[in-house]
Amino acid sequence: MKLVVRVIEAKNLPPTDPNGLSDPYVRVQLGKQRFKTKVVKKSLNPKWDEEFCFRVDDLKEELVFSVMDEDKYFNDDFVGQLKVRVSDVFDEDIKSLGTVWYSLQPKNKKSKNKECGEIRLSIYFSMKNASVHSDSSNSSPRSVEEITTSKDEKSCTQKTLASRIAQIFNKSSDVPAIISDRSLDADQSEKNKDGVDEIKTEDPSSNDTFEEAMRKLQSVDQGSEIPSNLPGGVLIDQLYMVAPEDLNTLFFSPDSDFPKSLADFQGTTELQIGPWKFENGGESLKRLLTYTKAPTKLIKAVKAFEDQTYIKADGKNFAVLASVSTPEVMYGSTFRVEILFVITPGQELPSGEQCSRLVISWRMNFLQSTMMKGMIENGARQGVKDNYDQLSSLLSQTIKPVDSKDLGSSKEQVLASLQAEPQSDWQLAVQYFANYTVVLTFFVGLYVLVHIWMAAPSRIQGLEFAGLDLPDSIGEFVVCAVLVLQGERVLGLISRFMQARAQKGSDHGIKAQGDGWLLTVALIEGSNLAAVDSSGFSDPYVVFTCNGKTRTSSIKFQKSDPLWNEIFEFDAMDDPPSVLEVEVYDFDGPFDEAVSLGHAEINFLKANISDLADIWVPLEGKLALACQSKLHLRIFLDNTRGGNSVTQYLSKMEKEVGKKINLRSPQTNSAFQKLFGLPPEEFLINDFTCHLKRKMPVQGRLFLSARIIGFHANLFGKKTKFFLLWEDIEDIKVIPPNFSSMGSPIVVVTLRPGRGMDARHGAKTQDEEGRLKFHFQSFVSFNVAHRTIMALWKARSLSPEQKVQMVEEESENKSLASEESGSFLGLDDVSMSEVYSCVLPIPASFFMELFSGGELDRRVMEKTGCLNYSYTPWVSEISDVYERAIYYRFDKHISHYGGEVTSTQQKSPLLDGKGWLLEEVMNLHGVPLGDYFNLHLRYSIEDLPPKAKGCRVQVFFGIEWLKTTKHPKRITKNVLTKLQDRLKVLFSLAEKEFLTK
């Protein structure tokens, strides 16, 4: 029997973040079968409308619905849950509970938040030829169909090699399929054959033309950000000589012939394109495509369903997310391929033509966990790459791509076209002095002069004498005081005007000198700058800072939308700059404190240089955010040294710090840039294996380059990745070895206040002033790593005088060869294979005492040849998931070289609660080539039936290669032999200890 669950929507969910919103999704579980809905961003009343199909073997089981809130940096938060017995559904006459609102319950009675919201579900049994499912909530009736696979097709599939491999890793070949509502509606011909009725509903939005739909989306778009590229990688990044709206029409208009031409070009058949329809109250525009993919050498022709959704359309920028499902392929119900199309305006061409930038990226979205994840992702990567290589080829035949030579000369032409606003000093003076204060002072002064001319001289009286005429009344005294104050204000305005005109930009027009990285900034204009004067305007000027050097613009008087058209050049730098700081001030005299109107930071490591050729930079700060202030800039960064810049930079670094630095291969640099999303000019200097110390140590790799220090780890499928700028580091200290660091010194990196906030998930602590501190330990070669880190930090952040002093202090150490050579790997998941399996006559609970951290754990580890064994307590970071770190040294019987091991273990109960799953990542130190790989182990301990009285233990093993080596098979064989011998001893000792006890 098949149980169909439809998760429709929820309401009144409690907020879990400070903004009062959540990113909810639903986990649905029946026994060992688990599914997950999509994540709805920033909503307390989310709508999912997704269906899942479960195989029912026992009516006593319970359906468990868990509403969770996604957290990017920490564990997902629990919102509420609901449990429904399968027998309650089966006992109904129509085998259905209908569509009902259910109240969510807290996880336990001690929870503070009792109100968890409500969720709307539809639960029913699906049987062959069942036609109608009633809706108790006045919803439109829905047709139900049981998705089955023919016996002939199933038997044929099981004969393939892929299915045999799959059966080894996953015993349940009948994986439940996720049913998509729109997929069921698209395959109407098969529904009619099974006698299923379809109730058609007319959607008035489908009658809108594509142009009208775009206009509606543009009115709904409230300045949302352009989505970033998906983590799977960029498939296409190219400029085309076409307007963005025309390129959008070519790809997604129902009247466009391009999708059909692409289908013919790729061999795709049975293409059916559904109409665009508005959903969620007109906020999102979606359509469905169905087609049959052409067969390849690996797979046969398969049916594919593609959902396309507009996530941005403001008339100039367009972003469409396509989600492709292929349920007919092996494990097709466990994943979806997501493709993101982003169309943005490109930089202006010298010919004046419009151009568009097309960026297509992708990722794999696994709906449920599977041990075939690595194989599926690798196969999908190659297939997606081939498809979009064909798309790029066909698109180039339809629309002319922009040649890089055309853009090369655009810088000079763009800068030559800039002309400063022609205004004489008299025009500026009239504009500046045309205000109420000056006009009032002028008329009052004129009035006084006329009065003096018409009035007769008064006689001398009181304390007056010849030449001194004092006020004769309080009124005259007040008038004199007002005249003096007004005169002082006017004189101040005249002084400010003269000083500002003398400044005119302290370095405007100065040409850059030297050979290297040349930074050119064109300041075009400003928009909506904050007003700090009573006149409702300001006198803004801009200060640019890069690598400690500043450039200042001229002052624009009485402007809220000033026009500059000024060009600034920075002297050539030996290494590429990291950050350009922009600050806008209001001029208030040379000796008064300038008022900041806003600031911005342009990070060259996170931005594409081509995107900076024409950008509007939003300003930050209280005044700027309130007025939504922006600056229009054109930024160009060129390397006048060509391809030798890397070699020259390394040579200069060696002379400055007295250390030998080896040049990495292009393949290694490319992998490094792809890992952290860095521009092509960034190059890797060295990388080291180490631990990142947080609540628990995380084994990973530390990467050092000219501008950043980065860390990457992939532990138990959870990835940790971030990087820091050398300029953001305030201090680097070393903590001596202690027990908590497993006998290794700790490098503590402290950032400046408020810097590196996007990497705070990797920080150990944060002090009261906002300084983040990162702890790195367990380096294979601590001295090499520490000296390299210190050299790069000092060379990047210290002044030339401090660098010379550092070189003199370290002149004795003239060279230092890197002990960590080879290119790094480890970016993909580790493939595991079973290496040992046995049945022990002991319960699983006793076997787990070997890893409990008690006396039995220590005694058994010492008997297996592990010396100086130490461990940390088990710590729970996620519900029912515990982690600990262990340390020991090898006995001479295990390794002739001795060596040390730092290991991280994670344990969690099996789904049925009758056993445990223990995973371990081992890092070897002091063993030849030990820093080239990590060892991954997985113990599956499961209780046997009560009559058997024992447990079954399966051990899986895999190697994560961190660097390339010429002897991978030899190393694998040696490690596997030692591991199997150790497992035999371990299991025999466990059995003896149980019998003795």
Side-chain angles (χ1 to χ4, degrees):
M1 292 186 295
K2 299 289 184 180
L3 180 66
V4 179
V5 176
R6 182 182 170 204
V7 182
I8 303 174
E9 58 182 325
K11 64 181 180 181
N12 301 328
L13 297 180
T16 56
D17 60 3
N19 297 327
L21 296 174
S22 299
D23 300 331
Y25 66 91
V26 183
R27 291 178 181 170
V28 190
Q29 181 174 351
L30 178 64
K32 295 184 179 181
Q33 306 172 54
R34 292 185 296 181
F35 293 101
K36 172 184 171 183
T37 67
K38 63 184 179 182
V39 179
V40 178
K41 297 293 184 181
K42 298 181 179 179
S43 176
L44 299 180
N45 299 285
K47 295 181 179 180
W48 295 284
D49 200 12
E50 296 186 29
E51 284 190 3
F52 307 99
C53 185
F54 294 91
R55 184 184 67 254
V56 178
D57 298 325
D58 188 358
L59 293 177
K60 297 180 180 179
E61 292 181 322
E62 284 186 333
L63 268 171
V64 181
F65 300 87
S66 301
V67 181
M68 310 293 292
D69 173 50
E70 185 184 49
D71 194 322
K72 293 183 179 179
Y73 305 110
F74 302 99
N75 301 329
D76 293 348
D77 298 323
F78 178 84
V79 178
Q81 68 177 2
L82 171 69
K83 295 182 180 180
V84 179
R85 289 179 297 182
V86 177
S87 58
D88 293 343
V89 185
F90 188 79
D91 292 341
E92 294 290 331
D93 295 337
I94 58 174
K95 299 295 186 289
S96 171
L97 295 179
T99 303
V100 183
W101 284 98
Y102 299 89
S103 297
L104 294 172
Q105 303 298 325
K107 198 167 189 177
N108 51 58
K109 296 182 179 179
K110 297 181 180 180
S111 299
K112 296 181 180 179
N113 191 3
K114 300 295 183 179
E115 298 295 332
C116 301
E118 299 180 37
I119 187 170
R120 189 182 180 197
L121 304 172
S122 175
I123 308 173
Y124 55 90
F125 275 97
S126 172
M127 296 167 287
K128 191 138 185 160
N129 297 329
S131 58
V132 178
H133 162 235
S134 63
D135 189 338
S136 65
S137 243
N138 297 328
S139 310
S140 59
R142 296 185 53 85
S143 60
V144 181
E145 178 188 9
E146 180 182 6
I147 298 179
T148 59
T149 306
S150 64
K151 294 182 179 180
D152 296 338
E153 191 176 275
K154 184 175 180 181
S155 61
C156 179
T157 305
Q158 290 181 347
K159 294 179 181 179
T160 62
L161 178 61
S163 65
R164 295 177 183 177
I165 298 175
Q167 290 177 355
I168 296 175
F169 291 93
N170 196 334
K171 300 298 182 182
S172 59
S173 59
D174 186 13
V175 180
I178 297 180
I179 305 175
S180 172
D181 292 341
R182 292 182 291 273
S183 300
L184 291 174
D185 295 338
D187 201 0
Q188 181 59 33
S189 60
E190 296 182 6
K191 287 185 178 182
N192 295 334
K193 292 180 182 180
D194 293 336
V196 181
D197 299 331
E198 181 189 17
I199 298 177
K200 297 182 179 180
T201 59
E202 293 185 0
D203 187 357
S205 63
S206 62
N207 298 326
D208 295 336
T209 63
F210 184 70
E211 290 75 13
E212 292 174 346
M214 290 297 100
R215 285 194 291 270
K216 287 184 179 180
L217 277 183
Q218 184 176 351
S219 62
V220 172
D221 194 319
Q222 300 295 330
S224 59
E225 295 183 359
I226 298 176
S228 56
N229 295 334
L230 298 182
V234 176
L235 302 171
I236 296 177
D237 188 352
Q238 179 65 44
L239 291 171
Y240 294 93
M241 290 186 177
V242 64
E245 53 270 20
D246 295 337
L247 186 59
N248 173 64
T249 301
L250 178 72
F251 272 106
F252 304 110
S253 174
D255 300 329
S256 175
D257 295 330
F258 183 78
K260 298 177 182 178
S261 302
L262 179 62
D264 296 338
F265 189 74
Q266 295 177 339
T268 301
T269 59
E270 301 179 11
L271 175 63
Q272 296 182 4
I273 303 177
W276 288 104
K277 297 181 179 181
F278 280 100
E279 297 184 1
N280 297 331
E283 294 183 358
S284 61
L285 186 64
K286 299 183 179 182
R287 74 173 179 180
L288 173 69
L289 284 74
T290 59
Y291 47 84
T292 302
K293 296 290 294 181
T296 64
K297 295 180 180 179
L298 298 177
I299 60 174
K300 63 178 183 178
V302 295
K303 189 87 170 180
F305 303 91
E306 179 175 339
D307 279 320
Q308 294 182 350
T309 306
Y310 269 95
I311 55 180
K312 182 172 181 61
D314 59 5
K316 294 182 178 180
N317 303 280
F318 303 90
V320 176
L321 181 64
S323 178
V324 183
S325 61
T326 52
E328 294 181 2
V329 302
M330 182 64 65
Y331 290 95
S333 61
T334 65
F335 68 91
R336 287 185 180 179
V337 178
E338 295 184 349
I339 310 292
L340 178 63
F341 297 78
V342 177
I343 302 173
T344 56
Q347 63 189 82
E348 185 178 353
L349 298 177
S351 60
E353 297 181 72
Q354 285 185 301
C355 72
S356 302
R357 182 184 179 193
L358 172 65
V359 180
I360 302 178
S361 56
W362 80 289
R363 71 177 175 189
M364 291 290 293
N365 183 10
F366 284 92
L367 305 174
Q368 61 181 9
S369 59
T370 172
M371 299 182 68
M372 307 297 290
K373 181 178 179 180
M375 180 183 296
I376 293 172
E377 193 164 4
N378 291 334
R381 180 181 291 108
Q382 186 60 41
V384 169
K385 184 179 183 300
D386 294 341
N387 287 341
Y388 284 89
D389 285 344
Q390 294 173 348
L391 184 147
S392 178
S393 176
L394 180 61
L395 187 59
S396 300
Q397 299 175 15
T398 308
I399 302 174
K400 181 182 178 182
V402 177
D403 193 355
S404 58
K405 296 180 181 179
D406 298 333
L407 296 175
S409 60
S410 63
K411 172 186 173 181
E412 289 74 15
Q413 297 183 7
V414 168
L415 297 180
S417 63
L418 296 179
Q419 295 181 356
E421 184 179 2
Q423 281 187 316
S424 64
D425 290 343
W426 285 107
Q427 290 176 323
L428 289 175
V430 171
Q431 180 181 350
Y432 183 70
F433 292 112
N435 56 60
Y436 175 78
T437 300
V438 176
V439 172
L440 177 62
T441 303
F442 173 77
F443 280 107
V444 172
L446 181 62
Y447 179 83
V448 171
L449 291 176
V450 172
H451 168 72
I452 294 174
W453 177 67
M454 297 180 63
S458 60
R459 62 185 180 86
I460 297 176
Q461 55 184 348
L463 298 177
E464 297 177 345
F465 53 84
L468 178 63
D469 187 10
L470 297 177
D472 297 334
S473 65
I474 296 298
E476 290 183 358
F477 179 80
V478 172
V479 171
C480 291
V482 171
L483 289 176
V484 171
L485 293 176
Q486 287 292 100
E488 183 185 8
R489 293 187 62 183
V490 172
L491 289 177
L493 291 175
I494 296 174
S495 174
R496 286 176 55 192
F497 178 79
M498 299 300 294
Q499 292 163 355
R501 292 307 296 163
Q503 178 176 321
K504 291 187 179 179
S506 60
D507 39 27
H508 178 58
I510 298 178
K511 293 296 182 181
Q513 299 177 355
D515 190 20
W517 291 93
L518 180 63
L519 176 62
T520 304
V521 181
L523 174 61
I524 311 299
E525 58 184 322
S527 174
N528 298 327
L529 298 185
V532 294
D533 297 338
S534 58
S535 61
F537 298 99
S538 57
D539 306 327
Y541 66 96
V542 185
V543 177
F544 299 96
T545 305
C546 184
N547 279 7
K549 300 178 182 179
T550 61
R551 297 288 183 267
T552 307
S553 75
S554 61
I555 301 170
K556 296 299 178 183
F557 294 105
Q558 302 297 300
K559 296 283 188 180
S560 60
D561 298 315
L563 177 65
W564 277 282
N565 282 344
E566 298 176 359
I567 302 171
F568 308 92
E569 293 185 0
F570 289 81
D571 290 339
M573 295 162 275
D574 293 328
D575 50 326
S578 303
V579 173
L580 173 66
E581 296 179 357
V582 183
E583 188 91 22
V584 183
Y585 293 101
D586 176 65
F587 181 79
D588 196 21
F591 304 109
D592 294 332
E593 184 178 357
V595 177
S596 175
L597 303 181
H599 60 88
E601 182 180 274
I602 298 173
N603 193 322
F604 295 108
L605 290 161
K606 298 180 180 179
N608 195 323
I609 296 298
S610 60
D611 295 339
L612 301 178
D614 190 2
I615 59 169
W616 280 91
V617 180
L619 299 179
E620 299 179 0
K622 293 182 178 179
L623 294 175
L625 293 176
C627 300
Q628 296 184 351
S629 305
K630 295 185 294 183
L631 282 183
H632 188 190
L633 303 177
R634 290 183 176 178
I635 303 173
F636 302 91
L637 183 62
D638 303 313
N639 182 16
T640 58
R641 289 179 178 172
N644 297 327
S645 60
V646 176
T647 306
Q648 293 177 3
Y649 175 78
L650 293 180
S651 300
K652 181 173 180 277
M653 285 291 300
E654 291 174 359
K655 295 178 182 179
E656 287 186 349
V657 301
K659 299 180 184 295
K660 176 67 177 177
I661 301 176
N662 298 324
L663 180 64
R664 292 303 183 94
S665 66
Q667 294 81 6
T668 302
N669 281 323
S670 177
F672 167 65
Q673 294 159 7
K674 181 180 178 182
L675 178 62
F676 291 101
L678 301 174
E681 64 267 14
E682 193 67 14
F683 54 92
L684 179 66
I685 293 178
N686 213 337
D687 57 291
F688 302 93
T689 302
C690 70
H691 279 91
L692 173 68
K693 187 68 165 63
R694 295 184 295 185
K695 184 180 289 187
M696 289 293 295
V698 178
Q699 172 68 25
R701 203 155 187 85
L702 193 69
F703 299 89
L704 308 178
S705 72
R707 293 187 284 183
I708 72 163
I709 172 174
F711 180 82
H712 174 268
N714 186 358
L715 190 62
F716 309 123
K718 183 179 181 180
K719 296 183 180 180
T720 303
K721 180 174 65 176
F722 61 86
F723 68 83
L724 312 170
L725 298 178
W726 291 112
E727 291 90 337
D728 292 343
I729 298 177
E730 183 179 86
D731 189 22
I732 298 178
K733 294 183 178 180
V734 177
I735 299 178
N738 51 50
F739 176 77
S740 63
S741 65
M742 301 296 179
S744 170
I746 302 176
V747 177
V748 180
V749 177
T750 305
L751 301 188
R752 302 183 189 277
R755 309 297 295 180
M757 288 301 167
D758 53 346
R760 61 182 177 273
H761 61 279
K764 179 71 167 61
T765 58
Q766 183 176 3
D767 61 14
E768 297 178 354
E769 298 182 4
R771 294 183 178 91
L772 295 175
K773 295 187 177 182
F774 299 80
H775 291 211
F776 302 99
Q777 66 184 57
S778 302
F779 289 93
V780 176
S781 306
F782 176 79
N783 290 332
V784 178
H786 179 247
R787 290 173 64 84
T788 307
I789 291 172
M790 294 299 295
L792 290 173
W793 173 54
K794 291 179 179 179
R796 187 77 186 185
S797 59
L798 298 186
S799 63
E801 294 78 11
Q802 292 173 318
K803 293 179 183 178
V804 172
Q805 182 181 359
M806 182 191 64
V807 173
E808 293 175 354
E809 293 175 354
E810 301 182 358
S811 59
E812 298 178 359
N813 305 315
K814 296 183 180 179
S815 65
L816 181 61
S818 174
E819 298 180 12
E820 298 207 0
S821 58
S823 60
F824 64 90
L825 301 174
L827 302 182
D828 297 327
D829 294 332
V830 181
S831 61
M832 312 275 289
S833 58
E834 185 177 339
V835 295
Y836 197 85
S837 178
C838 67
V839 176
L840 300 176
I842 60 178
S845 58
F846 181 83
F847 186 84
M848 286 303 296
E849 291 186 17
L850 298 179
F851 307 97
S852 63
E855 183 61 28
L856 178 61
D857 184 3
R858 184 185 300 276
R859 186 166 62 250
V860 171
M861 291 297 287
E862 290 178 351
K863 287 183 180 180
T864 56
C866 301
L867 307 177
N868 299 337
Y869 180 69
S870 61
Y871 49 83
T872 62
W874 287 101
V875 177
S876 176
E877 292 190 352
I878 308 175
S879 177
D880 296 333
V881 178
Y882 303 86
E883 288 187 4
R884 72 166 182 172
I886 62 176
Y887 164 82
Y888 55 86
R889 293 176 54 247
F890 281 133
D891 190 359
K892 294 293 183 181
H893 299 289
I894 298 179
S895 173
H896 175 71
Y897 301 95
E900 302 175 351
V901 175
T902 56
S903 175
T904 302
Q905 292 181 342
Q906 183 184 89
K907 67 176 181 179
S908 59
L910 296 178
L911 296 178
D912 55 4
K914 297 181 180 180
W916 290 86
L917 183 66
L918 181 79
E919 296 183 274
E920 182 176 6
V921 179
M922 302 173 60
N923 319 116
L924 307 182
H925 309 282
V927 177
L929 301 180
D931 57 313
Y932 276 57
F933 57 88
N934 289 337
L935 303 181
H936 289 242
L937 293 175
R938 181 184 294 135
Y939 300 83
S940 177
I941 304 103
E942 186 175 4
D943 273 320
L944 296 175
K947 295 182 180 179
K949 296 182 180 180
C951 68
R952 180 180 183 84
V953 182
Q954 293 175 287
V955 183
F956 300 87
F957 168 75
I959 292 185
E960 176 188 6
W961 293 101
L962 305 176
K963 301 181 182 178
T964 55
T965 176
K966 298 180 180 179
H967 312 287
K969 294 183 179 179
R970 182 178 176 182
I971 294 175
T972 304
K973 182 179 179 181
N974 179 268
V975 172
L976 188 57
T977 302
K978 294 291 185 181
L979 176 63
Q980 290 175 335
D981 294 340
R982 182 184 174 189
L983 290 174
K984 292 178 182 178
V985 175
L986 178 67
F987 292 163
S988 62
L989 287 173
E991 187 174 349
K992 290 180 181 179
E993 290 287 345
F994 178 73
L995 296 176
T996 304
K997 190 173 182 179

